[in-house]
Structure formats: C-alpha cells, structure tokens
C-alpha cells in the first residue's frame, strides 16, 4: 500500500493527520475562551462533550490521529536519516526561524507529546474518563470543567503549572508554524506563488492559536490564585466547587491546610447551607448545628 510503502505516501499521512490535529487545536482554544467570559457556559459545553457516545467516538478518532501522526513522524525521521544522514527532512529556501523548527520537528513533537500526557491526566482523566470509570474521579464533579481549571491552576503549584503550559505552547508554535505549510507542500501545493502565502498563513494561524492558549492559561492562573484578591491561600471559590466537602468529614475541603479539622471546614461552609449533621462542631461554632442540610 502506497501510504505505507512509499515515502510520498507516508508524508501524505503525516500531512493529513497533522492538519486534522491543527483543526482540533483551533476548536479547543476557542472552546477554552468561553471559560474566560462565562464559566457557566463553559460547563454546559463540557456537559455536551462529556461521556456521550459521540464524544467518546470523536475522542477515540482524535487519539488514533495523534498516535498515527507520532508513529509516522518516527518512521519518516528514521527513513530520512538513513537516506541523508543528519540532513533529514530538509527543504531549502526557508526563513531562518522556520529552518530551526524544520530541523527539530521530532524533538518539538516529543515535548508536545509529554505536555499532552500531562494535560490529559489533569483534565481528560478527571472529566470524561472519570464519568466512564468513577474510580478516576476526584473532589470536583467530572462535568464541572471550570472547577477542574481552578483546581489545576490554583494552589501552591499553580504558577509552576502555568510555566509548564507556556513551554508546551511555545513548542507547539514552532511545530505548527513549520508543520502547517509543510503539510500543504507534501500534498502538492509547492510553487513560488502559493508557498510564501502558506508560510505567512501558517505563522499567523499558529500565532493566533498559541497566543490565545497562553493568554487563557495566564487568565486561569490569575483567577485561581486570586479570584477576589482577598489574599486567601485557599480561595473561597475553590472550596465551593468541592461539592462533597460539606457532606463528608473525610473529604479534602481544606486539603491545603487552611482548616484545622473537618468540623471547622464544615462550619466554614455553613453559609452555603451544606453542613453535615454527623460532624461535631466546636462549641464556639453553634451555627453548624442549625438547619443542617442532608446530603
């Protein structure tokens, strides 16, 4: 089969899968932008894209594209090195910045793959997978996408998470900038009239997508670290999204050490009307025993 036996066929597979992944990234960044303006609307989108059959089918298809893209990347790299040594996959007459990206596409892809594994663990594993396998769930409901964002970008490691994400977006920018126009070149658009236009389009598209991703990560971190600029180490909003905390004395309502015990956490949440009657509250907090709400 020419898609596997021919170098041209393998480049076509790389091109088609790469362009499909770029379209997904464009959808993903626009979906994330909804969260900036309306967390409620974002949660509704997450509900639609939950563990439904069509969402699962789309996820499996996307995973297949990603795996095929990676396999063919290693395959083409090995083929090129065998044929031309260290000058693998080189094309002449490129701008200097793109030349560096073209020579390091595999390394950039590995960085992106590692970043993707982290991202899947933080979000997909706690959302769609948690709906399918409840044992993977944490204190935030799977459909509460905004809650997961606040949880991952909040706390003491929130700024470190931001740095990792920005590094991932930088690698993605270089990879997309070269991969976008190179894919069209492999598909036959290779002439002096269209190639410069494709390079400009690739740069503009990659910059828009990756810059928006970076802005979203910064905004999410600022909101998670300081939702009301009250200076609290554990934001009040983060406590609210932990939906099990008020009903279960063992739930990590104050998992970052703000509250001395479950009773104090329960009393702190009394204002939200979800105190657990089973928890014995300190005598100086009688409010916890008033009008307790059953789970």
């Amino acid at each position: 089969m020419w898609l596997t036996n021919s170098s041209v066929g393998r480049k076509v597979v790389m091109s088609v899968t790469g362009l499909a992944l770029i379209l997904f990234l464009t959808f993903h960044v626009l979906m994330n932008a909804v969260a900036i303006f309306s967390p409620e609307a974002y949660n509704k989108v997450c509900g639609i894209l939950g563990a439904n059959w069509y969402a699962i089918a789309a996820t499996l298809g996307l995973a297949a594209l990603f795996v095929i893209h990676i396999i063919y990347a290693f395959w083409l790299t090995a083929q090129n090195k065998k044929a031309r040594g260290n000058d693998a996959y080189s094309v002449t007459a490129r701008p200097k910045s793109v030349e560096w990206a073209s020579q390091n596409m595999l390394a950039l892809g590995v960085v992106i793959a590692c970043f993707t594994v982290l991202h899947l663990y933080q979000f997909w594993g706690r959302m769609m997978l948690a709906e399918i396998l409840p044992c993977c769930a944490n204190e935030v409901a799977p459909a509460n996408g905004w809650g997961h964002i606040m949880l991952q970008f909040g706390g003491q490691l929130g700024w470190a998470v931001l740095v990792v994400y920005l590094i991932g977006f930088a690698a993605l920018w270089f990879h997309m900038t070269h991969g976008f126009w190179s894919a069209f070149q492999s598909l036959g658009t290779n002439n002096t009239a269209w190639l410069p236009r494709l390079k400009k389009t690739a740069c503009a598209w990659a910059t828009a997508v990756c810059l928006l991703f970076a802005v979203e990560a910064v905004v999410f971190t600022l909101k998670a670290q300081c939702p009301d600029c009250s200076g609290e180490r554990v934001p009040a909003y983060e406590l609210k999204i932990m939906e099990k905390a008020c009903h279960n004395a063992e739930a990590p309502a104050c998992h970052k050490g703000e509250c001395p015990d479950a009773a104090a956490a329960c009393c702190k949440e009394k204002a939200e009307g979800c105190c657990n009657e089973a928890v014995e509250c300190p005598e100086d907090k009688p409010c916890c025993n008033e009008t307790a709400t059953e789970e």
Side-chain angles (χ1 to χ4, degrees):
M1 186 176 181
W2 75 279
L3 290 176
T4 57
N5 298 333
S6 160
S7 62
V8 175
R10 288 191 282 269
K11 288 182 179 180
V12 168
V13 173
M14 277 287 293
S15 301
V16 172
T17 56
L19 291 174
L21 291 172
I22 288 175
L23 289 177
F24 166 74
L25 288 171
T26 305
F27 163 78
H28 190 31
V29 75
L30 293 176
M31 173 182 164
N32 287 355
V34 175
I36 295 179
F37 302 101
S38 175
E40 294 77 12
Y42 179 74
N43 282 348
K44 290 182 180 179
V45 175
C46 291
I48 295 173
L49 300 177
N52 305 298
W53 70 266
Y54 48 85
I56 294 175
T59 300
L60 292 175
L62 182 64
L65 289 173
F66 189 73
V67 172
I68 292 172
H69 193 75
I70 292 175
I71 291 174
Y72 273 73
F74 280 99
W75 197 349
L76 278 171
T77 301
Q79 170 192 320
N80 291 328
K81 284 188 175 181
K82 182 178 179 180
R84 294 176 295 183
N86 294 326
D87 295 328
Y89 213 49
S90 62
V91 178
T92 58
R94 291 196 187 98
K96 184 177 180 181
S97 60
V98 178
E99 180 68 27
W100 181 89
S102 68
Q103 293 176 353
N104 294 275
M105 286 296 281
L106 184 62
L108 290 168
V110 171
V111 173
I112 295 169
C114 293
F115 168 71
T116 301
V117 171
L118 171 65
H119 185 63
L120 290 175
Y121 171 77
Q122 289 181 314
F123 292 96
W124 178 82
R126 301 300 184 183
M127 298 175 72
M128 180 182 286
L129 185 61
E131 287 191 58
I132 302 172
L133 302 174
C135 61
C136 297
N138 60 6
E139 61 269 25
V140 182
N144 189 353
W146 179 252
H148 285 283
I149 290 175
M150 292 295 99
L151 191 62
Q152 297 302 333
F153 286 95
Q156 294 178 329
L157 295 179
W159 295 106
V161 171
L162 174 62
V163 171
V164 171
Y165 270 65
L166 293 179
I167 293 173
F169 297 147
L172 181 63
W173 182 85
F174 281 107
H175 198 78
M176 284 181 61
T177 300
H178 171 69
F180 188 102
W181 69 262
S182 180
F184 281 99
Q185 184 185 50
S186 298
L187 293 174
T189 308
N190 186 16
N191 56 61
T192 55
W194 275 101
L195 202 56
R197 298 172 186 173
L198 286 173
K199 289 179 179 180
K200 292 180 180 179
T201 302
C203 185
W205 196 308
T207 300
V209 170
C210 295
L211 182 60
L212 184 53
F213 268 132
V215 170
E216 289 167 351
V218 171
V219 171
F220 294 154
T221 302
L222 292 176
K223 286 181 176 291
Q225 294 291 334
C226 185
D228 53 7
C229 296
S230 63
E232 294 184 41
R233 182 182 167 201
V234 181
Y237 183 86
E238 185 173 327
L239 292 175
K240 292 178 184 178
I241 66 175
M242 296 178 181
E243 297 162 356
K244 298 179 182 178
C246 302
H247 304 293
N248 185 352
E250 296 179 359
C254 299
H255 64 295
K256 294 185 177 67
E258 285 297 297
C259 301
D261 51 34
C266 175
C267 291
K268 186 174 182 179
E269 290 296 306
K270 177 60 181 67
E272 303 301 323
C274 57
C275 182
N276 187 349
E277 288 182 296
V279 177
E280 294 183 4
C281 299
E283 293 182 358
D284 60 338
K285 300 289 184 181
C287 63
C288 197
N289 295 317
E290 299 175 4
T291 319
T293 302
E294 293 290 336
E295 181 174 354

